[in-house]
Amino acid sequence: MTASAPEELRRRRDDVIADRSLRGRALCRALAGVTDEWLRELYSEVANTLPSARAALVAVGGYGRGELAPGSDLDLWLVHDGHSDGDELASLAERVWYPIWDAGLKLGHAVCTVRQGLALAAAELDTATAALSARLVAGDPALATQLGEAAGAQWRKRSNRWLGELGRRVSERHARAGEVAFLLEPDLKEGRGGLRDVQALRWAQAARPVLLDGDAAALAAAEDTLVAVRVELHRLTGRGSDELHLERQDDVARAVGDGDADALMARVAAAARTVAWTADEVWRRLSSSLAGPLGRLSRRDRPLGPGLILRDGEVHVETATDIGADPTVVLRAGAAAARAKVAIDRPSLDRLAVEAPVLDGRWPDQGRLALVDLLATGHAAIPVLEALDQRELLQRVLPEWAPTRSKPQRNVYHRFTVDRHLCETAANAASLTSGVARPDLLLVGALLHDLGKGYPGDHTEVGMDLMDRIAPRMGFEGDDVATLVALVRHHLLLPDVATRRDLSDDDVIHGVADAIGSLATLDLLAALTEADSLATGPSAWGSWKAGLVAELVERVAHVLRGGEARELRGDGFPGAAVRRLMAGDGTVVQGEGDVLTVVAPDRPGLFSRVAGALALEGLAVRSADAASGDGRAASQFLVERGPGSLEWDRVTATVRRALEGRLALDARLAQRSRSSRRRPRATSLPAPPRVRIDNHASASSTVVEVRAPDGVGVLYRITTALGELDLDIRLAKVATLGSEVIDTFYIRTAAGTKLSDRADVRELERAVLHELAER
């Protein structure tokens, strides 16, 4: 085997990839080095047989920069002088390209003169940026130098055109790939804040100076993190995919030396946020520059408060301002920028980072008011808070903030890191302040409600202790402090009760009223629930959940005003129409809107058969009511529509077949589950099923709460277990939180009593867990 054989390239590359002492950039450079060496040997061997061909083998793109990860493509140009024999050039190209392909590498290639390469670079952005990193691998150095120098000069000359196009491409790519910092399974290269953004900034810098002091170093540190993770991902998978899938995160964490996947993803998020924020700053300045003088704001200064002015569309801290003597200036500058929907200018931001004091004592009133003003601007506050956070200024104002920074919540239910979730919740709350008596308490409560997630222990308990310390320091007095602590204590109360408990149960309503204690706190909690849910993710808030919370709030408010829960109870289930059906004979299956009603002779397993039929039809059940008497049973299912309209004729026919015993539900659901079992693109690592049985939550029923990984037919399997034990389901509440279902059932024995015997309780747990575990 010759040194230039494809097998030799594979061996050399495999040796580098297997060397565990090489990580990140060092591995990329080593891999580029052995590839260069092999290509030089190959080129020399081939070129010696073609003496008239004057050419150079030039690496471009990522390979030209020496950024060759294990799964990276090779991008090579064969650049010639334009006078060489055409047949010899074709032979040279073939004899270089084919061994690369035979080695199993992906190759981007071109054969051109310097002039032709420059013409392509003048017409195509991708070619223009690739040529910026042109680097000689083998052959004529003069041709490679000529190409590189001319490509750089052409890029600078055409910078207005290309930077505008590059900025548009960046925005389009972000829309497709999402944010590296916040996605559960980020694309390390193409996502917002990823490696492609780092390179786009370098291309912009090659056109004109756009990076400010400290930017290059911050970008290099962030890039080191992302490159190291990308290299280990390629090593583990043996492929060039840049999507960091959930099941790979623990392995990658070990490979890069992180304690666990949470630590890894926190570092990835922090790096990506640095890249994204720097990129936003650069493209904002470039956009203003490219717009020209007519596109810029007036240069006339406008005072914004003590020591602050608006100049050229940015908030500036005046030079004479003594930042160290004014502990409120960070918050005041932030509030001013958010109100004007502009940025704090970079020199001012950097001054604040150096000179701003830590607010470690009681805040001046102006500081608390400035924080509330900042949060009250809603989503305009988000980029300002991000800028302050990039310079660690939020920690100066609120030292307890530090543990939440870039802390991941590795499940599909939460789309943001803890700190960003808090900011988004506060931004959502700003639009709800008109419905509460104390907007300041709502906004501060929203910002801090999950602060405990940055610390060990139960996040609600820890968060209450934190709020009890922070709120007085901010300048809130006793009653206000108690209200803020209550917002943390009860921030999950309304959604949990609304989606998991029987809202027609008077004891439930009175229990919530007793816990909350006042109408003012109830209003704040209702607004916080909506703001928090909207910030959590798309599955956390919808018309169904909003309606349940609204119903709960209405009944609790009535009690807090001195009324009785029963006065707003309504008829409950079964209503008059269903009772008339129960008085008849036979089986009734009818669907209307989002509700399926089933009335049939009572027998064990009726509820589970309907649930199984709905699962076969691909319909998710949101809630269900059931009742029985005089040998008849009725149930009503609220279903969640998929895309398009519900075909009730088909659905009701399937339900009838199931009730008549004409469907092999177990077999069909198992088949459906297998056919839909693909690797989840965005999910959390599944926790094992859990069953909790509560005989105190309801006066008349045992409440069974089941948590389990989501899947086809989960409700059917749970209710099959309940039916096997001859338990009557009176009410079912079904909630899906990301990849986990939380199903709550109000059940009674066949004798109409609670399930009180401990042996029976254990048997129920055993039956449910068995049904969920065996599939």
Side-chain angles (χ1 to χ4, degrees):
M1 182 175 65
T2 66
S4 59
E7 295 82 1
E8 178 64 15
L9 174 59
R10 285 198 296 269
R11 185 192 65 77
R12 294 182 193 182
R13 286 172 55 88
D14 288 346
D15 287 347
V16 170
I17 294 169
D19 185 349
R20 302 306 301 182
S21 69
L22 294 173
R23 292 183 177 180
R25 288 183 192 273
L27 182 138
C28 292
R29 288 193 294 267
L31 203 55
V34 298
T35 305
D36 285 355
E37 181 183 48
W38 180 83
L39 282 170
R40 280 193 291 270
E41 293 168 359
L42 172 64
Y43 188 89
S44 176
E45 179 183 307
V46 173
N48 284 338
T49 67
L50 303 169
S52 71
R54 181 179 171 231
L57 190 61
V58 178
V60 297
Y63 180 32
R65 297 189 296 271
E67 299 171 359
L68 205 58
S72 296
D73 300 350
L74 295 186
D75 291 308
L76 290 166
W77 289 4
L78 184 61
V79 181
H80 60 91
D81 62 358
H83 305 296
S84 301
D85 180 79
D87 291 338
E88 286 199 4
L89 281 173
S91 176
L92 177 60
E94 279 190 13
R95 292 166 67 183
V96 172
W97 303 156
Y98 276 95
I100 296 173
W101 286 322
D102 290 342
L105 299 182
K106 293 181 179 178
L107 173 67
H109 59 91
V111 179
C112 61
T113 64
V114 170
R115 178 174 293 183
Q116 288 169 338
L118 293 174
L120 286 171
E124 299 173 358
L125 176 61
D126 290 341
T127 306
T129 55
L132 290 176
S133 58
R135 175 179 62 83
L136 176 70
V137 175
D140 192 325
L143 287 173
T145 300
Q146 183 183 356
L147 174 66
E149 291 177 350
Q154 181 171 273
W155 175 256
R156 290 186 292 275
K157 181 179 179 180
R158 299 169 183 263
S159 62
N160 279 2
R161 172 194 171 189
W162 284 136
L163 289 178
E165 175 65 19
L166 183 58
R168 287 188 290 274
R169 292 268 195 100
V170 167
S171 297
E172 291 168 0
R173 174 167 48 78
H174 290 170
R176 290 193 307 271
E179 298 206 40
V180 173
F182 305 127
L183 285 175
L184 184 62
E185 296 181 318
D187 187 322
L188 299 170
K189 184 176 180 180
E190 301 294 334
R192 180 173 182 266
L195 290 165
R196 185 75 76 185
D197 276 348
V198 176
Q199 198 50 50
L201 291 173
R202 295 214 172 104
W203 293 331
Q205 180 75 3
R208 63 181 70 169
V210 294
L211 298 178
L212 302 183
D213 288 346
D215 283 349
L219 284 172
E223 186 181 22
D224 282 344
T225 296
L226 297 174
V227 167
V229 174
R230 184 183 186 224
V231 163
E232 297 307 329
L233 178 62
H234 285 196
R235 266 176 160 162
L236 285 165
T237 62
R239 294 181 287 106
S241 172
D242 296 316
E243 292 185 17
L244 184 51
H245 293 151
L246 190 71
E247 67 269 20
R248 295 289 185 185
Q249 290 171 11
D250 283 303
D251 293 336
V252 172
R254 284 189 290 271
V256 299
D258 284 322
D260 56 27
D262 282 350
L264 168 74
M265 298 312 292
R267 287 204 304 123
V268 168
R273 289 171 71 171
T274 294
V275 173
W277 178 75
T278 305
D280 287 347
E281 287 273 295
V282 166
W283 293 114
R284 178 178 56 80
R285 292 194 299 270
L286 272 175
S287 178
S288 175
S289 172
L290 293 172
L294 294 179
R296 298 174 194 160
L297 298 177
S298 169
R299 294 184 60 85
R300 181 177 297 176
D301 292 349
R302 178 159 65 89
L304 296 174
L308 302 174
I309 57 173
L310 181 66
R311 175 185 296 159
D312 291 339
E314 294 179 320
V315 171
H316 291 244
V317 179
E318 293 187 285
T319 305
T321 300
D322 185 354
I323 293 174
D326 184 356
T328 70
V329 68
V330 169
L331 292 172
R332 291 192 300 105
R339 281 196 303 269
K341 296 183 179 179
V342 299
I344 302 172
D345 97 296
R346 273 292 297 279
S348 295
L349 192 65
D350 292 339
R351 271 190 69 201
L352 289 171
V354 172
E355 301 175 27
V358 175
L359 268 173
D360 55 0
R362 185 179 174 90
W363 292 17
D365 288 346
Q366 195 175 23
R368 184 180 70 257
L369 295 174
L371 174 63
V372 172
D373 285 347
L374 169 59
L375 299 178
T377 63
H379 284 88
I382 298 292
V384 176
L385 290 167
E386 183 68 20
L388 297 177
D389 194 49
Q390 283 296 317
R391 292 296 181 262
E392 299 186 0
L393 287 164
L394 290 183
Q395 294 171 238
R396 306 280 183 89
V397 173
L398 190 66
E400 295 87 350
W401 187 264
T404 71
R405 294 186 72 224
S406 298
K407 185 175 180 61
Q409 305 188 78
R410 294 176 62 236
N411 59 71
V412 72
Y413 189 57
H414 290 91
R415 59 179 166 178
F416 293 120
T417 55
V418 173
D419 54 342
R420 182 59 176 269
H421 170 75
L422 293 172
C423 294
E424 292 283 344
T425 301
N428 292 334
S431 66
L432 303 171
T433 54
S434 61
V436 300
R438 290 291 301 274
D440 57 335
L441 298 182
L442 173 60
L443 294 170
V444 172
L447 182 68
L448 303 181
H449 75 283
D450 269 347
L451 196 66
K453 286 186 175 180
Y455 297 80
D458 179 87
H459 85 278
T460 298
E461 295 293 332
V462 175
M464 290 164 57
D465 291 340
L466 290 169
M467 183 66 88
D468 201 33
R469 297 201 305 266
I470 294 169
R473 197 167 76 232
M474 287 180 169
F476 290 104
E477 301 299 340
D479 288 346
D480 290 347
V481 173
T483 298
L484 287 167
V485 171
L487 292 183
V488 177
R489 174 186 283 116
H490 298 309
H491 73 277
L492 296 175
L493 178 64
L494 295 182
D496 282 357
V497 171
T499 58
R500 302 180 201 171
R501 292 295 179 263
D502 182 1
L503 300 187
S504 67
D505 188 331
D506 296 346
D507 290 342
V508 169
I509 304 303
H510 283 286
V512 174
D514 290 344
I516 292 175
S518 73
L519 278 170
T521 303
L522 176 64
D523 289 341
L524 289 168
L525 280 171
L528 176 58
T529 295
E530 181 173 349
D532 185 19
S533 298
L534 288 169
T536 297
S539 65
W541 192 252
S543 58
W544 170 75
K545 186 174 180 180
L548 290 176
V549 170
E551 179 184 348
L552 174 61
V553 168
E554 180 185 16
R555 296 196 69 201
V556 171
H558 181 72
V559 170
L560 290 172
R561 293 189 188 100
E564 291 292 331
R566 65 176 179 272
E567 294 168 355
L568 291 184
R569 187 192 305 152
D571 290 338
F573 184 83
V578 175
R579 287 197 298 271
R580 284 195 295 271
L581 294 175
M582 293 177 71
D585 298 319
T587 298
V588 177
V589 181
Q590 58 187 30
E592 183 176 352
D594 295 333
V595 177
L596 174 73
T597 301
V598 177
V599 178
D602 194 10
R603 63 184 185 276
L606 190 69
F607 190 102
S608 65
R609 291 191 182 197
V610 179
L614 293 175
L616 282 180
E617 288 293 332
L619 294 174
V621 176
R622 278 298 193 182
S623 64
D625 291 284
S628 61
D630 298 328
R632 301 278 286 168
S635 54
Q636 247 178 12
F637 293 77
L638 175 66
V639 301
E640 184 175 5
R641 294 170 179 262
S645 59
L646 273 172
E647 297 183 24
W648 277 121
D649 288 346
R650 189 188 72 235
V651 173
T652 55
T654 300
V655 171
R656 284 184 177 278
R657 291 178 66 197
L659 294 176
E660 294 166 2
R662 295 164 53 211
L663 282 180
L665 288 173
D666 278 352
R668 284 177 171 270
L669 287 171
Q671 182 181 17
R672 183 179 177 89
S673 180
R674 285 193 298 270
S675 66
S676 65
R677 192 175 296 154
R678 297 184 294 269
R679 193 200 67 80
R681 284 299 318 280
T683 182
S684 57
L685 296 173
R690 291 95 75 202
V691 179
R692 189 170 72 89
I693 297 174
D694 186 347
N695 270 313
H696 303 289
S698 169
S700 59
S701 300
T702 295
V703 178
V704 180
E705 184 176 285
V706 182
R707 290 174 175 256
D710 194 11
V712 175
V714 170
L715 180 61
Y716 166 73
R717 299 203 295 271
I718 297 170
T719 53
T720 294
L722 299 179
E724 182 185 13
L725 298 175
D726 285 342
L727 296 172
D728 284 335
I729 299 169
R730 189 177 66 80
L731 173 71
K733 289 285 189 78
V734 180
T736 302
L737 304 183
S739 59
E740 184 178 56
V741 296
I742 304 177
D743 293 354
T744 305
F745 304 90
Y746 282 65
I747 64 166
R748 294 174 183 158
T749 67
T753 64
K754 290 185 179 183
L755 192 70
S756 56
D757 186 275
R758 289 186 179 181
D760 292 342
V761 168
R762 287 194 296 271
E763 204 64 18
L764 169 58
E765 292 175 347
R766 182 179 292 110
V768 172
L769 292 176
H770 174 73
E771 277 290 337
L772 293 173
E774 71 174 4
R775 309 305 167 104

